[in-house]
Amino acid sequence: MRVITGSCRGKKLKTLESLDTRPTTDMVKEAVFSIIQFDVPASSVLDLFAGSGQMGIEALSRGASHCVFVDSNPEAVAIVKDNVDSCGFNKESRVLCMDSLEYLKVAKAGLDIVFIDPPYRMGIVEKALELVESKLNDGAIIVCEHEKELELGESYGRLKLHKRYKYGKTALTVYKIPMKEVDY
């Protein structure tokens, strides 16, 4: 697994050798970043269920200003820390070993991009979407990676469905918060 582009282009990342962690394939990662490419520079990112941290690291490599990585598995957190360190993103990163849903209950507002990629078939995506909505800036984007059979709702609070994509056994559902209109 490598960083696709940006300041760390081609950098090899460590992964967790476990059946519990399912790394995002390069094809899906490329699709995600082609969808959000213009929103990444200077953004504040949250990588929930971070695994190896590859999604947040890709965002940092492409110019995101900060990323919080959250995973409840101590082994995954150690790998995220190693990957962040090897890419030189320690100042731009915060790596937490805790339950992602619990983190969302205490997280500060101000997020621009959130990656949600929990274990499949456990109903976690919907819970995360309900909790994260209040932490988002106007114009924020949420990218949910999940099993292709799961059909997520059209909206969660201010989050509105932007688009659905399918890649083999994996699906992406992208939500956006509309920008507020300004009266002149």
Side-chain angles (χ1 to χ4, degrees):
M1 180 174 26
R2 296 184 184 280
V3 177
I4 298 169
T5 198
S7 64
C8 288
R9 180 180 183 193
K11 182 81 172 164
K12 193 170 176 113
L13 300 175
K14 294 180 183 177
T15 59
L16 190 62
E17 300 294 327
S18 164
L19 295 176
D20 296 336
T21 304
R22 176 190 27 75
T24 300
T25 65
D26 283 348
M27 179 181 72
V28 172
K29 183 165 66 169
E30 286 190 42
V32 166
F33 282 94
S34 78
I35 295 164
I36 66 170
Q37 64 184 327
F38 301 113
D39 300 291
V40 174
S43 62
S44 177
V45 178
L46 174 60
D47 190 349
L48 287 177
F49 311 94
S52 66
Q54 71 164 324
M55 299 302 283
I57 289 169
E58 185 73 37
L60 290 168
S61 180
R62 292 170 182 245
S65 63
H66 187 261
C67 184
V68 176
F69 299 86
V70 182
D71 203 294
S72 62
N73 180 338
E75 293 173 18
V77 168
I79 285 177
V80 172
K81 286 180 178 178
D82 283 350
N83 286 335
V84 164
D85 187 52
S86 75
C87 290
F89 290 135
N90 289 312
K91 289 181 183 171
E92 299 89 350
S93 301
R94 188 165 171 222
V95 184
L96 302 172
C97 186
M98 69 184 293
D99 180 83
S100 291
L101 297 179
E102 290 302 314
Y103 174 75
L104 288 175
K105 292 176 185 175
V106 299
K108 293 180 181 169
L111 297 169
D112 299 308
I113 297 172
V114 179
F115 300 110
I116 301 175
D117 184 9
Y120 286 1
R121 296 174 181 79
M122 297 179 76
I124 298 173
V125 176
E126 298 92 327
K127 291 175 188 166
L129 286 167
E130 291 166 7
L131 290 169
V132 77
E133 185 264 334
S134 66
K135 313 296 181 184
L136 302 170
N137 289 331
D138 290 342
I141 298 172
I142 309 294
V143 179
C144 304
E145 185 176 333
H146 54 85
E147 66 276 17
K148 72 175 181 181
E149 300 81 16
L150 179 62
E151 282 288 323
L152 295 169
E154 295 287 320
S155 64
Y156 292 86
R158 297 180 302 147
L159 283 169
K160 305 298 178 216
L161 177 67
H162 175 66
K163 200 145 186 184
R164 292 184 170 109
Y165 306 85
K166 292 192 177 171
Y167 303 93
K169 296 178 181 179
T170 301
L172 295 175
T173 303
V174 179
Y175 291 92
K176 288 189 175 185
I177 290 191
M179 293 296 286
K180 284 190 176 159
E181 293 190 20
V182 180
D183 293 330
Y184 290 100

